[in-house]
Amino acid sequence: MSADILPNWENLVKNQLKTEDIYSILKKENLEGIDVKPFYTEVQKPLANLPKVEENTHLVARYHESLEEDVFAFLLDHNVENLEQKTIFVNNKDLAGHISPKEEDQYFSLIDVFNEKEGTIDDQLAKELLSKDFKRNICIDVSLHQNAGAAIYQQLGIALAKTKELIEEYGTEILNKLIFRIAVGGNYFFEMAKLRAFKIVFNQLTKEYGLNETPYIFAETSLRNKAVADNENNLIRSTLELASAMIAGADAVFSNNYLVDRSTDNSEEISFKQQIVLAYESIINVFEDASNGSYYVEDITRQIAEKSWALFVEIEEAGGYLELLKQGIVQKKIYDHAVEEQKWVEEGKIKLIGVNLYPKLDVKRSVEDLYSEKEIKVVRWAEMFE
């Protein structure tokens, strides 16, 4: 459609809402500091297609012997013999130490070598993992930070800062040995933009070293928005989170059990079947960058990337991630955002069906009871009401 016959979208919106003041009506606040427009007719800088490492997204199940025949990728917490021609994500450091992969095996480490409480890197563990013939040896885990209440740009800025610490310790050759464990929350398009933005800023970091690397992203469903007494809604939430991760081009996806306080064989099976239905019936796991070209997603991707990079630079100029951990500055930044987010839940600005909406439960624990300025720890929104 040529420019001279394009409709005036702003006037159309004004007519539909019967007001000239459409921006105050359609404006939606967010805690990320992202400017969301009421409608989009263009994007400032169209993005190139953002690649992923794997051709098709790995659908990862927690290991169970009943799944051996049908599942191709497992999350492993304990040793299992004769798992041939499977993709294995090792989730236990003792197990990782005993594994000696064969040439045809595909092993990935989900073990983070950072000690967030002490502000150190476990050098011995890192060297042991790097000596293994794994596809990816070292995990940078920022799922902890998402589940602790960090903002999206904080999660990505921290992921970059942790990457920089590893480069300084082990050299640039570590870049293609990394896997990033990222928790995906319920803000569907923002979380989609989060993974896309991380691809941009990680690639930008590698270009600082004359490289052109793509991050390997292991995306899992969030714990932060799940409730103990709300299993069905948890299941729906995590399905949307998986879809967001697949559309954004994650290399592997994993659904944490939708039963918060327990696990059953049936719930583990259903958690994995969420991925199967999305992948096999919606076929959203095969596209490289399915949301590319969406004005809205591209605009918030750009904003998140810019804010994440700015935080990374701020961390580096202040001495780096480990130094700021030791000073308690990282913990305080996450605490401040998490507390503000929790207040939005308490006030109903963030809606959690069955918890603060339909029905509305009584507040039983204060923000002060839930959070600590000195520790990065997992806190679910619903704990305030449970």
Side-chain angles (χ1 to χ4, degrees):
M1 188 180 289
S2 63
D4 58 330
I5 59 171
L6 274 172
N8 186 318
W9 295 107
E10 187 170 356
N11 285 337
L12 284 174
V13 176
K14 287 177 179 178
N15 289 336
Q16 287 182 348
L17 294 179
K18 296 180 173 57
T19 178
E20 291 290 313
D21 188 21
I22 62 172
Y23 293 97
S24 63
I25 292 174
L26 295 175
K27 183 178 179 181
K28 190 173 182 180
E29 288 184 288
N30 65 80
L31 287 169
E32 299 289 340
I34 300 298
D35 179 27
V36 177
K37 298 177 183 178
F39 62 92
Y40 292 81
T41 58
E42 62 181 359
V43 64
Q44 282 186 14
K45 297 178 182 177
L47 297 173
N49 209 46
L50 298 172
K52 58 184 183 180
V53 178
E54 299 285 359
E55 186 176 351
N56 293 337
T57 303
H58 282 303
L59 311 178
V60 185
R62 194 176 297 279
Y63 176 78
H64 192 281
E65 59 184 12
S66 66
L67 299 174
E68 266 194 42
E69 189 174 330
D70 299 319
V71 175
F72 301 102
F74 284 113
L75 182 76
L76 219 58
D77 293 301
H78 60 278
N79 190 37
V80 178
E81 298 291 340
N82 301 320
L83 277 181
E84 297 176 356
Q85 297 183 325
K86 303 288 186 184
T87 297
I88 304 298
F89 293 87
V90 182
N91 201 36
N92 178 292
K93 68 179 182 180
D94 294 327
L95 174 60
H98 292 99
I99 289 175
S100 297
K102 298 173 184 174
E103 190 174 338
E104 66 273 15
D105 292 338
Q106 286 203 89
Y107 277 83
F108 294 80
S109 168
L110 288 180
I111 299 153
D112 195 338
V113 297
F114 284 82
N115 185 321
E116 305 282 343
K117 291 184 178 179
E118 296 180 7
T120 58
I121 293 173
D122 188 332
D123 182 59
Q124 182 179 347
L125 176 60
K127 286 176 178 174
E128 287 176 4
L129 290 170
L130 288 169
S131 70
K132 296 287 183 181
D133 191 19
F134 287 179
K135 294 292 183 182
R136 298 272 166 162
N137 304 69
I138 302 285
C139 175
I140 290 182
D141 185 0
V142 286
S143 67
L144 165 67
H145 304 81
Q146 193 276 342
N147 284 309
I152 286 174
Y153 74 91
Q154 290 176 333
Q155 296 165 47
L156 303 192
I158 286 169
L160 291 179
K162 292 177 81 169
T163 302
K164 183 74 182 301
E165 295 281 2
L166 290 175
I167 292 171
E168 290 180 356
E169 191 70 30
Y170 304 105
T172 55
E173 57 269 21
I174 201 171
L175 283 167
N176 62 9
K177 300 178 186 295
L178 298 177
I179 178 170
F180 293 87
R181 187 171 191 167
I182 300 177
V184 176
N187 195 338
Y188 191 69
F189 293 108
F190 270 50
E191 294 292 333
M192 201 181 294
K194 176 172 82 176
L195 299 192
R196 300 181 77 246
F198 185 59
K199 294 184 181 191
I200 294 171
V201 293
F202 178 81
N203 183 255
Q204 186 173 336
L205 176 61
T206 69
K207 284 180 176 175
E208 301 280 327
Y209 297 96
L211 302 171
N212 188 26
E213 298 288 336
T214 299
Y216 193 107
I217 296 176
F218 179 98
E220 62 180 52
T221 57
S222 175
L223 301 174
R224 185 138 174 88
N225 58 353
K226 307 304 186 294
V228 169
D230 213 11
N231 301 332
E232 292 81 4
N233 286 341
N234 288 343
L235 188 61
I236 295 167
R237 290 178 188 121
S238 56
T239 302
L240 287 169
E241 289 160 8
L242 288 169
S244 186
M246 289 184 187
I247 292 169
D251 295 289
V253 293
F254 174 72
S255 182
N256 283 299
N257 201 306
Y258 64 92
L259 301 180
V260 171
D261 58 345
R262 64 192 189 283
S263 174
T264 66
D265 287 351
N266 187 52
S267 66
E268 289 288 353
E269 183 181 352
I270 290 173
S271 293
F272 180 65
K273 282 182 176 177
Q274 291 173 272
Q275 302 172 37
I276 293 292
V277 170
L278 286 170
Y280 288 21
E281 296 187 11
S282 299
I283 327 176
I284 58 175
N285 66 318
V286 300
F287 298 104
E288 191 168 66
D289 189 10
S291 58
N292 182 273
S294 162
Y295 291 162
Y296 173 46
V297 175
E298 287 208 19
D299 188 59
I300 58 177
T301 296
R302 176 187 55 79
Q303 290 185 63
I304 290 170
E306 289 172 356
K307 287 175 68 69
S308 303
W309 187 262
L311 178 61
F312 165 60
V313 171
E314 179 187 322
I315 292 171
E316 289 308 301
E317 289 178 347
Y321 182 67
L322 294 177
E323 180 59 33
L324 295 193
L325 267 181
K326 290 172 184 173
Q327 294 179 24
I329 293 172
V330 173
Q331 297 90 322
K332 182 64 165 59
K333 282 180 178 289
I334 293 173
Y335 169 84
D336 288 342
H337 184 270
V339 166
E340 187 66 21
E341 194 177 66
Q342 190 71 49
K343 287 178 180 176
W344 274 37
V345 173
E346 185 177 4
E347 295 166 5
K349 289 182 181 179
I350 294 175
K351 294 175 175 56
L352 206 58
I353 308 300
V355 176
N356 66 0
L357 191 70
Y358 309 126
K360 186 172 182 179
L361 305 180
D362 294 329
V363 172
K364 295 180 180 177
R365 299 178 66 188
S366 69
V367 168
E368 291 73 23
D369 288 338
L370 293 170
Y371 295 92
S372 168
E373 288 189 20
K374 298 179 180 179
E375 184 182 1
I376 303 171
K377 63 176 183 176
V378 174
V379 180
R380 292 179 297 103
W381 290 333
E383 288 181 55
M384 173 174 270
F385 306 89
E386 292 172 348

